[in-house]
Amino acid sequence: MESKIFTTALNHLKLFGQSGLPKYEDEWTHFASICASFPDVKVLSNSNSTNYIFYFINSLLKMLFIFESVEVLSFGMGTKCLGASQLDKNGYSINDSHAEVLARRGFVGFLFEEFQNVYFGLVSKYFYLVDSKIGLIDGVKFHFCASHTPCGDASIFSVNEAENSVMNSSRPMHADDIFRTGAKCVLSGPQDPHGKLNKFHIVSQFRTKPGRGKIAIFFTY
């Protein structure tokens, strides 16, 4: 299922052509997506509904979620964020344009739109409304996928824990080393010791990303 979700997200990228993609060999970017999976309600839709054998098989397949459809709900690309000097005091500029942050923003927009539709009596294949409360339809699942671990604690883990030994790193890696993050601890809290190997970072700290110049923003939902 993981492979199907990731493939669906990558295929969504093709809809935009070269928009937002690196244009030169020395450029690169990351992508992130939030997808939904749900039982395919048309597994045996061509069968005669009066045939109880087909009806039983169809119901069983739905219950076991053997056949699932996947849809891309939100998609983003980016690796940068604005520096403190570029932030707008009125909040009109987007600070963080990392792929996973943009994907989350798009997903929040999707949720607001779906909730509004449900409250106004429109049909949703994700949510239902009962007694003024919104519930998730049975079998619906939301998935986050990304081409790289998000900045922060998610990127701080032992080399030995890496499932894939081929990780992007610009420095030699020791077996007792850890992968690192560019996110910095806020000045009001504990700081990374920057020691050797697995003593370079501490975890469970509030972090921010330093800005890296002007950026282009791209996200959809």
Side-chain angles (χ1 to χ4, degrees):
M1 189 60 188
E2 291 82 359
S3 177
K4 183 176 182 179
I5 293 171
F6 205 82
T7 300
T8 302
L10 282 177
N11 288 337
H12 188 76
L13 177 62
K14 298 177 182 178
L15 299 177
F16 301 94
Q18 290 297 313
S19 178
L21 294 177
K23 297 181 180 180
Y24 305 100
E25 293 183 357
D26 59 344
E27 292 183 340
W28 55 274
T29 190
H30 291 309
F31 89 90
S33 178
I34 296 179
C35 302
S37 66
F38 43 89
D40 191 342
V41 297
K42 298 181 180 179
V43 174
L44 295 176
S45 59
N46 293 328
S47 63
N48 189 342
S49 60
T50 61
N51 189 318
Y52 292 104
I53 296 179
F54 279 103
Y55 179 81
F56 173 77
I57 295 175
N58 197 23
S59 299
L60 182 62
L61 290 174
K62 292 178 186 178
M63 183 175 63
L64 296 177
F65 304 152
I66 294 177
F67 294 94
E68 289 187 292
S69 297
V70 177
E71 288 187 357
V72 175
L73 304 179
S74 179
F75 188 94
M77 290 188 295
T79 60
K80 298 183 179 181
C81 58
L82 295 178
S85 62
Q86 296 174 304
L87 297 180
D88 187 276
K89 64 180 180 180
N90 296 316
Y92 294 140
S93 57
I94 296 180
N95 177 20
D96 195 336
S97 289
H98 283 72
E100 63 272 16
V101 175
L102 297 180
R104 177 193 173 277
R105 284 178 177 269
F107 182 61
V108 170
F110 159 81
L111 291 178
F112 279 133
E113 184 174 330
E114 284 292 313
F115 292 168
Q116 177 177 284
N117 290 340
V118 170
Y119 269 114
F120 280 98
L122 299 179
V123 177
S124 171
K125 57 183 175 183
Y126 308 101
F127 304 100
Y128 63 88
L129 182 67
V130 176
D131 297 330
S132 299
K133 296 181 180 180
I134 292 179
L136 187 65
I137 294 177
D138 288 343
V140 175
K141 302 175 184 177
F142 296 119
H143 310 267
F144 170 78
C145 62
S147 59
H148 195 278
T149 53
C151 293
D153 282 11
S155 290
I156 304 173
F157 55 94
S158 170
V159 173
N160 292 326
E161 295 177 357
E163 295 183 4
N164 185 353
S165 59
V166 182
M167 298 288 290
N168 291 330
S169 178
S170 58
R171 59 189 176 83
M173 300 295 288
H174 187 274
D176 295 328
D177 206 348
I178 57 173
F179 292 102
R180 301 176 183 178
T181 179
K184 310 299 182 184
C185 297
V186 295
L187 296 179
S188 59
Q191 300 297 302
D192 288 320
H194 293 166
K196 295 182 178 180
L197 301 178
N198 59 4
K199 303 298 182 182
F200 189 86
H201 281 307
I202 54 176
V203 296
S204 302
Q205 301 302 315
F206 185 59
R207 296 175 180 270
T208 60
K209 285 286 290 185
R212 289 188 289 177
K214 297 181 179 179
I215 56 175
I217 297 170
F218 168 75
F219 75 94
T220 65
Y221 76 87

